[in-house]
Amino acid sequence: NAGVTQTPKFQVLKTGQSMTLQCAQDMNHNSMYWYRQDPGMGLRLIYYSASEGTTDKGEVPNGYNVSRLNKREFSLRLESAAPSQTSVYFCASSSGQIQETQYFGPGTRLLVL
Amino acid sequence: GENVEQHPSTLSVQEGDSAVIKCTYSDSASNYFPWYKQELGKRPQLIIDIRSNVGEKKDQRIAVTLNKTAKHFSLHITETQPEDSAVYFCAALIAGGYQKVTFGTGTKLQVIP
């Protein structure tokens, strides 16, 4: 049982390049989330998927797109990377039931030059 | 939407002393308040949570208190140890079919041996 996994662990992009961050969970969770973490800013929600087949914007969705490929996988795409998107990205999942824990992946450190 | 404020942003204590981190929230409908601990370079992990129907919860050296009238909740760590050094995040959410969590900006706790 690996929990929540993310790839890649680290990525360097040039401004304007695109990339997709991958996330998968093996806990049969319904809900999945993408956060970004910047120094002093805590965790900010980019997009979330309450259940398979649905996605919704979070607090900071501009510049990102997501795909809930199936129940296990939730990807985050940067179509045209900008230096402001330099951050650590965390994927998380939860069962989707009332009042329970979010489980985080190990994070992806992204540097946009 | 929900707004969570967390104080202080940094906290240094001597080993063995107590540490208190405070959070306030804005949405009176929020009814679940988890606390996450994030060690350097690692993912956030749940350490304790409290639901709106109780005022206090304790788990060994950590405890959380909730004042729904004042809309604030606090994390208390007693007999601090060096391994307690980390960033702590509070969060608030409304229980429901999915969870859209609002996090505080984090408190960096340093326990000085």
Side-chain angles (χ1 to χ4, degrees), chain A residues 4 33 35 37 42-43 45 48 50 90 96-102 104-106, chain B residues 31-32 36 38 42-44 46 51 89 95-101 103-105:
Chain A
V4 180
Y33 313 81
Y35 295 91
Q37 185 175 34
L43 292 156
L45 183 65
Y48 62 98
F90 286 100
Q97 296 173 9
I98 294 174
Q99 298 178 339
E100 47 68 51
T101 306
Q102 290 205 352
F104 286 84
Chain B
N31 55 13
Y32 176 58
Y36 288 82
Q38 185 178 26
K42 297 190 176 181
R43 71 193 80 185
L46 181 78
R51 290 154 174 74
F89 293 97
Y98 66 88
Q99 298 177 45
K100 185 178 176 180
V101 183
F103 285 90
T105 51

Side-chain angles (χ1 to χ4, degrees), chain A residues 20-21 32-34 46-49 54-58 61 63-69 73-79:
Chain A
T20 300
L21 282 66
M32 298 185 73
Y33 313 81
W34 276 105
I46 305 171
Y47 271 92
Y48 62 98
S49 172
T54 68
T55 60
D56 287 284
K57 296 178 179 179
Y64 306 95
N65 285 298
V66 291
S67 295
R68 185 72 182 268
L69 303 171
E73 299 172 289
F74 188 39
S75 63
L76 178 72
R77 183 162 178 83
L78 287 71
E79 290 291 351

Side-chain angles (χ1 to χ4, degrees), chain B residues 20-23 25 33 35 48-51 54-58 62-68 71-76:
Chain B
V20 180
I21 302 170
K22 299 181 179 181
C23 290
Y25 61 98
F33 308 93
W35 285 88
I48 195 168
D49 56 15
I50 190 167
R51 290 154 174 74
V54 298
E56 184 174 1
K57 182 178 180 180
K58 190 173 182 179
I62 60 173
V64 57
T65 59
L66 171 65
N67 183 327
K68 285 216 70 174
K71 290 190 283 188
H72 66 70
F73 55 111
S74 300
L75 178 71
H76 305 254

